[in-house]
Amino acid sequence: MTTKLSDLRLRNPKLLGELKRRGFETVDDMKHVPTTDALRMKGMGAKSWQKICDALGRDPAKT
């Protein structure tokens, strides 16, 4: 089962809009995104990225 980004309850509501604008609907869509690129997205903070990585099952510091 894939987790939708809207189900993660991200802190910044504008971030969800930015992710949808870039074509990301589920956390599986973000598997290929490196940490450096993700943290450069408008509205993405460390806590939000950590929630996404937890849903993906990957370490946010090593990707």
Side-chain angles (χ1 to χ4, degrees):
M1 183 174 142
T2 58
T3 304
K4 292 184 179 182
L5 291 169
S6 58
D7 294 340
L8 294 179
R9 297 182 184 166
L10 302 174
R11 291 179 134 191
N12 189 347
K14 292 181 181 179
L15 174 60
L16 188 58
E18 177 70 16
L19 292 171
K20 285 185 179 182
R21 185 183 70 77
R22 292 179 183 228
F24 302 120
E25 293 288 330
T26 65
V27 292
D28 288 336
D29 296 338
M30 297 193 70
K31 281 185 178 181
H32 69 282
V33 178
T35 299
T36 53
D37 292 343
L39 291 175
R40 288 183 184 139
M41 288 182 193
K42 187 176 182 177
M44 181 71 78
K47 286 285 189 183
S48 298
W49 180 239
Q50 189 172 15
K51 284 184 180 182
I52 292 169
C53 286
D54 287 344
L56 284 171
R58 74 184 210 191
D59 185 10
K62 293 185 178 183
T63 56

